[in-house]
Amino acid sequence: MTAGNNGADTPENDDPFAYLYRSEGGEGGAPGSAGTGAPTRQPGIPRTSYNQVRAVGERQYGQQPQQATTYGQQNAHYAAPETLPGGDRTRSAPAPDGPEPRRNRHGLLIGAVSVVAVVCIGIGVAMLNNGNESKAGEAGKQGPTAGDSVKPNGKKTGKTKPGELPKEDAASLRLDGGAGAAKDIQGSASGTYVAGFNQVGAKVQWKADAPQAGEYRLYVRYGIPGEDANATLSVNGKPNAQPLGLKNFIKSPQGDWEKGWQTTWAPVTLNEGTNTIEISCGQGNQCNANLDQVWLQRGGAKP
């Protein structure tokens, strides 16, 4: 239809929303059928809408009517999750009643002091070890030189400088034939001497180094009980023509061993280098003596 041309039908029939005005009886419906309770529709007047017009916010669809909320009171339509069956599983359990236990401050302080003490002790030990190593290094520099000889017990002998003539305690030498070390009699230079020499076959052997070949004097310190004695002296396997005299030069009392310590000497011819010097008790010798020390001097020189 066009403007000015409303068509052949009535306006309500041309209304595209006319179905809204129809009664439930069909198109157009029966106008005010008796007994139906439906209102009588008059031509040209739309029927009353099922939905009543309300102000904005007045009607809320699908919800319960709101009630006035009073502050400080629990809302009847709200319940906290923890009040529901099962409670709130996401929240941790409340802390137990009572004050939180204090940490042991004294224990922490003691631990800290212990750590500091251990560190200090470690530093002290390290410094002490360094000092000992330094002393050991210095002591190592004072070891035996090329001219020194060493006793069987590892100790250095009296000779400490190259070219210096050797000197030894008799008890540190090789002993055979019943001779042995003893320390009963006082007065020995080292406290230990050779006893048991008063028997045939007893001997003392010394490996002595001479800086050069030539004539030397062999000095022997010995002890006797106020009586003269003697022994056989051999150099490099060759006996001397004269025995080694162990006489009572100081006229010590007879039978007094402690006062009988004295010194004698005999000429020897040595090779350059090592020589074997042997003092023994042979047939015909009077060997009632103790031997204390032996050393060399160049020929003609006195001790």
Side-chain angles (χ1 to χ4, degrees):
M1 96 186 78
T2 61
N5 184 9
N6 293 331
D9 204 349
T10 60
E12 60 270 18
N13 292 333
D14 291 336
D15 188 353
F17 300 99
Y19 69 94
L20 296 174
Y21 311 121
R22 299 188 185 121
S23 63
E24 294 179 0
E27 185 178 355
S33 299
T36 62
T40 302
R41 182 175 65 87
Q42 299 179 5
I45 300 174
R47 70 177 177 85
T48 302
S49 174
Y50 292 108
N51 293 327
Q52 301 296 324
V53 179
R54 297 177 180 271
V56 175
E58 183 180 350
R59 180 67 179 270
Q60 296 182 2
Y61 298 94
Q63 297 183 2
Q64 297 293 332
Q66 294 185 350
Q67 297 179 359
T69 301
T70 303
Y71 292 98
Q73 297 181 1
Q74 186 178 359
N75 195 325
H77 299 284
Y78 172 79
E82 56 268 22
T83 62
L84 299 178
D88 188 359
R89 302 178 185 272
T90 62
R91 297 188 179 182
S92 59
D97 295 338
E100 181 180 359
R102 297 194 310 173
R103 297 183 178 178
N104 191 345
R105 297 182 180 177
H106 294 289
L108 296 177
L109 179 59
I110 293 174
V113 172
S114 301
V115 171
V116 173
V118 170
V119 172
C120 293
I121 292 174
I123 294 174
V125 171
M127 295 177 65
L128 181 60
N129 290 339
N130 290 338
N132 291 339
E133 291 176 358
S134 300
K135 293 180 180 178
E138 294 176 359
K141 296 179 182 179
Q142 300 175 0
T145 60
D148 292 338
S149 58
V150 181
K151 297 181 181 180
N153 58 6
K155 296 182 179 180
K156 290 173 53 181
T157 64
K159 187 181 64 172
T160 58
K161 297 180 181 179
E164 184 178 346
L165 294 177
K167 184 176 184 179
E168 289 287 352
D169 294 329
S172 67
L173 304 179
R174 178 176 177 178
L175 309 178
D176 291 313
K183 55 178 62 177
D184 299 333
I185 300 174
Q186 301 296 320
S188 170
S190 64
T192 305
Y193 55 89
V194 176
F197 191 70
N198 189 21
Q199 52 185 318
V200 176
K203 60 184 177 180
V204 176
Q205 190 178 84
W206 181 25
K207 297 288 185 179
D209 292 334
Q212 60 186 23
E215 298 297 324
Y216 292 84
R217 287 184 178 186
L218 173 67
Y219 283 87
V220 179
R221 187 172 190 269
Y222 62 96
I224 54 175
E227 299 176 350
D228 291 344
N230 57 56
T232 300
L233 176 62
S234 301
V235 178
N236 297 324
K238 183 180 178 180
N240 272 14
Q242 297 293 330
L244 176 65
L246 305 175
K247 295 183 178 183
N248 186 14
F249 296 108
I250 62 173
K251 305 300 180 177
S252 62
Q254 187 174 4
D256 193 343
W257 287 91
E258 291 186 8
K259 294 182 179 180
W261 295 106
Q262 48 200 298
T263 303
T264 190
W265 67 276
V268 292
T269 301
L270 302 178
N271 301 323
E272 182 180 356
T274 303
N275 297 266
T276 301
I277 300 175
E278 184 177 281
I279 303 172
S280 62
C281 183
Q283 292 292 341
N285 292 136
Q286 299 294 325
C287 309
N288 191 23
N290 295 323
L291 304 180
D292 188 23
Q293 287 183 321
V294 293
W295 66 92
L296 291 174
Q297 288 287 347
R298 296 184 187 278
K302 293 184 179 180

